[in-house]
Amino acid sequence: MLRQELKRVFKSRPALALSAAALALSVLMAASTVRSVTAYPAPGETLPDGAPYLTGLDAIEYERQRSAPYEGWLTQERIDRFLAEGAEPVISALRRVQGEDLADYYSARKAYIERTVASGYGEDAAAAALALDESAAEPFYYEYGFGDSDALIYLELVQFAVALVCAATASMTFVRDYSTGAGDILRCARHGRGRLARAKTLGAFIFGSALYFICCGVFTAIVLAAFGTDASAAQLKGEYYSVLILGGMSTNAQLLLCLLAGWLSVLAVSAFALWLSACTESPVAVFALSVAMAVLPLAGMSLLAEGAPGLWLQNILPGGGVCLTTGMVQQLASAGFLAIGSLHIWTPIVMLAAPALETAAFALLARRAYVRHECK
């Protein structure tokens, strides 16, 4: 039964067309990530052929060569030497600890985290942030990495597009049978209720997961091929670095966490669409509501962000993890916290837990609604 459902989903022309568009967008975003890199000559240097600047792969190679002498473990002794020599670009990353004395960089970093989080979320949140950051292994490692590109931002755009495609395809899973009358016939069969509902739900999840990993895999492969995969332990990677990333998390670890959050959000969006599809007999209404739920964290950002309840709602919505303005990428870089009384929870934890729970809950609700549905 599951095999037949998978054949139906993967051979659906609308699903194939939307999937092809998402894949094309993945390639385009990866190419844009590489092409957006721009390198200007260092003082006293001249670029090949006298060019005023370089772009794309040439710029990446030039910046990697510039950063090569500074790559390695950033002990305080090396930091002092880099500051004395005016060594760029590593200094630009170090000086993001604004208003702090870099004579003791790692203490200054913690002081900056405490001051910034306290100003935004209070002293209790600052204490929670420092507790999370205790796992940061010092000294940090520096390398060029993703340079000044917005690789993770472009990845988030790919994830958002896949979530929209999955919402659109999953929304037709049950309601299509309602509108054609096939649902009445299928539910008269021996396994036409609970077992069929389970097969349809799993089929939608498998389709969404396959599309997600193909699109994100293509994007990641192209980007890593251009920027390199070496030194995965690096906490400081060129321009793409935020002091507020807790726990000394490397850029590759951020990438994996964003990929996980995106996958869970895609599953949650699909599960919500399945539930609507099982509850409603109007294909247009189901499609519109499913896509709206995926877009709501982005479209309703200013409305939802009013006060603590709004912040909670914005981050626990099914599509919250891939929101283009407040998704996992932004939350990792800003050390966001959500409060329940005096308890403060790091926002990325909520963004991982909420879609996992929502996927299970909406999947069960979809099965229950389909089993009990009676066409008018």
Side-chain angles (χ1 to χ4, degrees):
M1 190 174 290
L2 176 59
R3 182 181 301 176
Q4 294 301 319
E5 182 62 24
L6 289 174
K7 286 183 179 180
R8 184 192 66 79
V9 174
F10 281 93
K11 288 184 178 181
S12 169
R13 288 186 178 181
L16 290 176
L18 290 173
S19 300
L23 182 57
L25 179 66
S26 303
V27 176
L28 177 62
M29 290 298 100
S32 298
T33 301
V34 176
R35 288 179 59 85
S36 66
V37 179
T38 304
Y40 294 91
E45 293 186 6
T46 302
L47 295 176
D49 300 326
Y53 59 87
L54 298 174
T55 59
L57 293 174
D58 292 336
I60 293 172
E61 182 60 28
Y62 176 77
E63 291 294 347
R64 286 176 67 87
Q65 291 178 2
R66 283 187 62 196
S67 300
Y70 312 115
E71 291 185 357
W73 298 105
L74 286 177
T75 61
Q76 188 61 48
E77 180 181 356
R78 292 190 75 204
I79 291 175
D80 294 339
R81 178 161 58 85
F82 292 156
L83 291 173
E85 296 174 354
E88 293 288 350
V90 65
I91 290 179
S92 63
L94 294 172
R95 284 182 176 162
R96 289 174 193 176
V97 184
Q98 301 172 4
E100 298 290 347
D101 184 7
L102 296 182
D104 187 353
Y105 171 75
Y106 295 102
S107 296
R109 174 181 168 274
K110 290 187 179 295
Y112 177 77
I113 291 173
E114 182 178 17
R115 184 177 73 249
T116 304
V117 175
S119 66
Y121 304 98
E123 296 296 334
D124 291 339
L130 291 178
L132 286 170
D133 196 59
E134 288 180 356
S135 60
E138 301 171 358
F140 289 170
Y141 191 94
Y142 173 81
E143 69 165 350
Y144 172 68
F146 292 145
D148 60 355
S149 73
D150 290 326
L152 295 184
I153 301 298
Y154 282 108
L155 172 63
E156 198 170 46
L157 181 57
V158 173
Q159 294 173 323
F160 180 69
V162 173
L164 289 180
V165 171
C166 291
T169 55
S171 66
M172 295 295 105
T173 301
F174 296 109
V175 75
R176 181 188 294 107
D177 292 341
Y178 296 163
S179 62
T180 61
D184 292 335
I185 300 174
L186 289 172
R187 278 194 299 277
C188 292
R190 179 179 179 183
H191 300 296
R193 289 181 178 268
R195 188 172 175 182
L196 180 60
R198 183 166 59 251
K200 286 180 173 291
T201 300
L202 288 176
F205 287 160
I206 291 173
F207 171 81
S209 298
L211 178 62
Y212 178 80
F213 286 114
I214 289 173
C215 291
C216 291
V218 168
F219 175 90
T220 304
I222 294 174
V223 170
L224 292 182
F227 288 94
T229 58
D230 55 327
S232 61
Q235 286 86 8
L236 279 71
K237 285 196 170 188
E239 295 294 324
Y240 204 87
Y241 167 64
S242 171
V243 179
L244 296 176
I245 294 176
L246 304 178
M249 189 181 301
S250 69
T251 305
N252 285 351
Q254 296 170 52
L255 175 61
L256 291 175
L257 193 59
C258 291
L259 288 172
L260 175 60
W263 178 51
L264 292 174
S265 293
V266 165
L267 291 180
V269 168
S270 299
F272 179 79
L274 287 169
W275 174 58
L276 288 179
S277 183
C279 293
T280 311
E281 294 185 18
S282 171
V284 175
V286 173
F287 175 82
L289 290 173
S290 299
V291 174
M293 178 56 70
V295 177
L296 185 59
L298 174 63
M301 183 183 64
S302 59
L303 177 64
L304 295 175
E306 293 295 332
L311 288 174
W312 268 101
L313 182 60
Q314 186 180 36
N315 287 284
I316 65 174
L317 285 172
V322 294
C323 178
L324 299 179
T325 52
T326 59
M328 179 62 77
V329 176
Q330 290 77 15
Q331 295 302 329
L332 284 174
S334 62
F337 280 84
L338 295 172
I340 304 179
S342 60
L343 176 64
H344 288 77
I345 305 173
W346 193 33
T347 309
I349 296 176
V350 176
M351 282 189 166
L352 293 175
L357 296 174
E358 289 164 354
T359 298
F362 284 125
L364 291 174
L365 289 172
R367 181 182 182 278
R368 181 176 182 272
Y370 180 76
V371 169
R372 296 189 176 191
H373 182 83
E374 296 295 340
C375 292
K376 296 179 181 179

